[in-house]
Amino acid sequence: MEAQSENRAVTRARGRRKQSEKKKPHPKRPYLGREKKLEVQPIAPSKNGELTIGDIARARGREVFPLHFLVECATGYALFLAHGINDIDMIKYQAEEYINRSDTPFELKAYLPFSSLGEALLQMNAISNTSVTEMLIKFIQKNFEPPFHRHVLTTADPFLGVKIVNNVGLSNHTSLLTLSVMRGLREKIDKLIGLQPGELDKAQRQLAHLYKDQKRTILDTKSPVPVSSSSFLQEQVMVVPHRFEGFFNAKGKKNILCTRNLVPGEALYGEKLIHVQNEDGTEVEYRVCDPRRSKLGAAILGGVTNIWIKPGSRVMYVGKVCGVTVSDLSDIVGLDGLVYVVGNSDDVTHMEGKRPNVVTIIENDCYYCHYRMVLGMVDAVFGEIDHPLGEIYRLPTKADNMNSKGHIIFSSGDINREFKLLQTVPLDLVEGAYFIDIGGYRMQPE
């Protein structure tokens, strides 16, 4: 009996020894010396029923630190302090109200301009690869006081934010709210850093061309496709403006849809050209818009109510690159507008050399973060995408000041919350199963 009691005592002693051994820190993972474990509380909304970034931080037992935004543009790096963003309701999604506050919520903490176009290209290559350069690290370290973990940074690319955390030690925060605020911040970046009108546009174009040339050298693409020959329409016609700005009607034996040719004497796919002499003796050349080739033309003849693109517009073209569409868009927006083409196409490369309003960005349209330094604010997004049941043409547009992204670049949360489909039109004149979807982002209430 005594032997059994002794065995039980030995067993209990061994058990206690094993439990104490489990609590000891692993020899390869030394204890970091926290005084006490932070107590996590349930996330409760504030007194006015809102849920904010500050609420979440406090629920996790953390202090609420100021939030900074890092913005990369074609002219340099900019760092902003966002006043009051920790108190913005994340549930009601008040990003738009915050951005347009009359008291200017953004404070420019520092701006580091690039010394040359070559340096800008070097930084853009790093951005496209989600890597942190020594220049960026020094810029961040210079503008934050240690300890770095007491400063919170948000970036357009969350993965870049993680790299900065690993290299510098800053805290990082990314949410739908901060990404929406970042879009609004990028919309006003030229004014906030004090650039002259047109300075950022010029830098973006120059950097985009340099980036494109570098990409083409790497891709070793074939020679550009030569422009097709064309012939002039023989019948006498009278050209009048169409109800959609940038388009025209040539009235003769039958009405013909056309655009004013930005490059007189040249066509892309052998379309007819029309010469009209004005009363002052000057001549204007128009390109016939064949609805069997042009999906924009087919949409107009199919009864589309609005194309949201006109002279002076800035358009982002994503998806399957089509030279016909690019030439139509180039004619419509004119020299005062811009057509950003995200993708790779030989005929568009040739066209870009003669059409200064076409800017090619050789990237996958899925990865907006890679080319955000050269893409300016746009009025509309024209995207041609594949679909299992055929090819669907989508045209998301904007109705207010915002940074339009594409069908892929819009997050699902943005689409469900702020994108409104207005019209779907079948393109019966184009061979194949084509449709055009037209919608608005952040539309003002009627």
Side-chain angles (χ1 to χ4, degrees):
M1 196 71 173
E2 292 180 359
Q4 289 179 353
S5 300
E6 184 177 350
N7 289 338
R8 293 194 191 98
V10 171
T11 301
R12 286 194 296 269
R14 287 176 178 173
R16 286 192 294 271
R17 185 165 61 250
K18 288 182 179 180
Q19 290 294 329
S20 63
E21 288 175 354
K22 289 181 181 179
K23 295 180 180 179
K24 292 180 180 180
H26 193 279
K28 293 184 180 180
R29 298 174 63 184
Y31 182 60
L32 297 179
R34 286 187 180 179
E35 294 181 1
K36 63 178 180 178
K37 185 177 180 180
L38 295 175
E39 184 177 355
V40 178
Q41 301 290 341
I43 300 177
S46 55
K47 294 180 180 179
N48 56 3
E50 297 177 349
L51 180 62
T52 68
I53 297 175
D55 292 333
I56 295 175
R58 286 185 287 270
R60 292 174 176 172
R62 301 172 184 169
E63 289 186 61
V64 181
F65 299 126
L67 185 58
H68 295 77
F69 284 75
L70 174 67
V71 182
E72 315 91 345
C73 64
T75 60
Y77 289 118
L79 186 66
F80 293 91
L81 172 62
H83 293 289
I85 194 171
N86 287 320
D87 300 321
I88 299 299
D89 182 10
M90 299 179 68
I91 302 299
K92 296 180 181 177
Y93 205 69
Q94 295 175 337
E96 190 75 10
E97 290 83 350
Y98 175 79
I99 293 166
N100 295 319
R101 268 173 36 181
S102 58
D103 58 346
T104 310
F106 301 114
E107 177 187 345
L108 178 63
K109 301 294 290 186
Y111 172 58
L112 178 62
F114 299 136
S115 60
S116 65
L117 191 58
E119 185 174 75
L121 179 63
L122 179 67
Q123 299 302 314
M124 181 170 176
N125 285 331
I127 290 295
S128 66
N129 294 320
T130 316
S131 59
V132 186
T133 63
E134 184 178 355
M135 178 181 181
L136 179 56
I137 291 176
K138 289 182 177 179
F139 173 66
I140 292 174
Q141 289 176 332
K142 181 180 178 180
N143 291 287
F144 288 105
E145 294 290 336
F148 292 117
H149 74 273
R150 296 182 64 84
H151 306 280
V152 183
L153 186 71
T154 187
T155 55
D157 181 0
F159 296 103
L160 180 67
V162 172
K163 293 285 184 70
I164 293 175
V165 168
N166 293 337
N167 280 273
V168 182
L170 292 171
S171 298
N172 178 258
H173 175 85
T174 302
S175 63
L176 287 176
L177 174 65
T178 59
L179 291 176
S180 293
V181 171
M182 177 69 80
R183 287 203 297 268
L185 183 57
R186 294 182 68 86
E187 180 182 353
K188 305 176 180 180
I189 185 65
D190 55 339
K191 297 177 182 178
L192 291 173
I193 61 180
L195 296 181
Q196 295 297 318
E199 187 176 350
L200 182 59
D201 285 344
K202 181 180 178 181
Q204 287 172 335
R205 290 197 197 197
Q206 291 176 334
L207 184 55
H209 290 314
L210 193 61
Y211 188 66
K212 176 205 67 176
D213 292 341
Q214 172 193 257
K215 279 279 190 177
R216 289 203 174 277
T217 301
I218 296 173
L219 294 173
D220 191 25
T221 55
K222 299 178 181 179
S223 300
V225 176
V227 174
S228 302
S229 60
S230 60
S231 59
F232 292 99
L233 195 68
Q234 299 301 317
E235 63 177 282
Q236 293 294 320
V237 296
M238 180 178 64
V239 178
V240 297
H242 192 273
R243 65 188 181 95
F244 293 138
E245 289 186 69
F247 280 100
F248 298 86
N249 273 330
K251 295 186 175 183
K253 294 179 181 179
K254 59 181 180 179
N255 288 345
I256 302 173
L257 189 66
C258 56
T259 59
R260 184 167 181 170
N261 195 359
L262 195 70
V263 186
E266 293 193 351
L268 181 67
Y269 53 95
E271 65 271 25
K272 299 282 187 180
L273 300 179
I274 301 173
H275 267 189
V276 175
Q277 189 170 17
N278 296 324
E279 293 181 356
D280 59 2
T282 60
E283 285 192 347
V284 179
E285 184 178 287
Y286 298 90
R287 295 171 55 232
V288 172
C289 184
D290 186 350
R292 295 168 299 179
R293 303 288 300 275
S294 169
K295 299 184 183 70
L296 267 175
I300 291 174
L301 296 182
V304 66
T305 57
N306 199 334
I307 63 171
W308 297 89
I309 300 171
K310 60 184 179 180
S313 293
R314 298 190 173 203
V315 183
M316 178 183 176
Y317 181 171
V318 296
K320 294 182 61 180
V321 178
C322 172
V324 175
T325 302
V326 175
S327 65
D328 287 341
L329 292 172
S330 174
D331 282 349
I332 295 167
V333 303
L335 291 177
D336 292 331
L338 277 176
V339 181
Y340 293 99
V341 182
V342 184
N344 187 20
S345 171
D346 289 336
D347 57 351
V348 174
T349 301
H350 181 79
M351 186 191 314
E352 182 186 34
K354 298 184 179 182
R355 290 177 176 262
N357 62 356
V358 176
V359 179
T360 304
I361 303 171
I362 303 179
E363 279 287 357
N364 188 320
D365 60 358
C366 295
Y367 304 111
Y368 168 72
C369 286
H370 291 182
Y371 51 91
R372 63 183 180 272
M373 286 178 64
V374 297
L375 183 60
M377 305 308 299
V378 298
D379 300 297
V381 175
F382 201 107
E384 185 172 6
I385 60 176
D386 287 326
H387 187 273
L389 298 179
E391 292 177 304
I392 296 182
Y393 230 54
R394 298 190 181 277
L395 176 56
T397 65
K398 84 179 189 66
D400 239 331
N401 291 330
M402 45 73 66
N403 186 5
S404 294
K405 305 294 191 290
H407 59 282
I408 297 173
I409 300 167
F410 274 125
S411 70
S412 58
D414 286 333
I415 292 175
N416 294 333
R417 182 171 40 247
E418 300 185 84
F419 181 81
K420 180 181 179 181
L421 180 63
L422 300 176
Q423 186 182 19
T424 297
V425 178
L427 306 183
D428 296 332
L429 295 175
V430 182
E431 183 179 355
Y434 287 92
F435 291 82
I436 185 167
D437 285 354
I438 299 178
Y441 185 66
R442 293 185 180 174
M443 300 284 290
Q444 291 183 343
E446 298 179 358

